[in-house]
Amino acid sequence: MSETADRIHIEQLELRARVGVPTDERAEPQRLTVSLTLELRNPIAECRDELERTVDYFAVCERVKAIAASGERRLIETLAEEIAGLILREFTVRAVEVELRKFILPDTACVAVRLRRGN
C-alpha cells in the first residue's frame, strides 16, 4: 500500500461460509470475519461529499458476504483470493488488503490469512 494513498478500512465484517478441508467441516456454514483495507484511486478530498466519487463500503460488504455464502471451499486462502479479486474487479480501488479469520482451533483465538493485491 502506498504511504500517501487514502484508504477505507472495514474491520471484522461477519461472514458465513462453508469452508474446511474435512467434508463434515463444510456441512454447515461457519462464522468467519474479514477485515478489508481499500486503497482508493482518488484522494478523499476529491469526494466532495458525493458517494459516486468514492467506494461504497456498504456495497463492498454486501458483495463480500454474498461471495462468502456462495459455494464451498476447502481453504480460507481460496476465499481470501476470491474476495480480493472481486474487490479489484468491481470497485474503484488501487489495492486491497484482506485478513480473513476462522475460529476453528480450540487453543487459539483464530487462524487468519492476510494478503494484499493491487491493480
Side-chain angles (χ1 to χ4, degrees), residues 23-60:
T23 305
D24 62 328
E25 192 180 338
R26 293 189 311 272
E28 294 293 326
Q30 59 188 280
R31 176 181 171 265
L32 307 173
T33 64
V34 67
S35 295
L36 305 166
T37 302
L38 313 174
E39 184 178 300
L40 304 176
R41 287 195 186 271
N42 302 315
I44 288 174
E46 293 179 9
C47 292
R48 299 187 189 111
D49 205 31
E50 297 173 15
L51 181 59
E52 301 77 30
R53 295 178 176 265
T54 188
V55 175
D56 181 344
Y57 52 81
F58 177 79
V60 170

Side-chain angles (χ1 to χ4, degrees), residues 2 4 11 13 17-18 35 42 46-47 49 57 69 76-77 79-81 88 97 101-102 107 113 116:
S2 166
T4 59
E11 185 70 25
L13 174 66
R18 294 176 188 266
S35 295
N42 302 315
E46 293 179 9
C47 292
D49 205 31
Y57 52 81
I76 60 172
E77 292 88 333
L79 180 55
E81 279 287 350
L88 290 171
E97 287 183 0
R101 294 179 178 187
K102 182 176 179 180
D107 297 328
V113 60
R116 178 191 185 282

Side-chain angles (χ1 to χ4, degrees), residues 71-90:
E72 292 183 4
R73 295 154 193 93
R74 292 177 47 148
L75 303 175
I76 60 172
E77 292 88 333
T78 303
L79 180 55
E81 279 287 350
E82 290 176 14
I83 291 169
L86 167 88
I87 291 170
L88 290 171
R89 281 189 313 276
E90 295 187 15

Side-chain angles (χ1 to χ4, degrees), residues 59-72:
V60 170
C61 291
E62 292 301 300
R63 290 293 293 128
V64 169
K65 287 191 285 188
I67 198 171
S70 70
E72 292 183 4

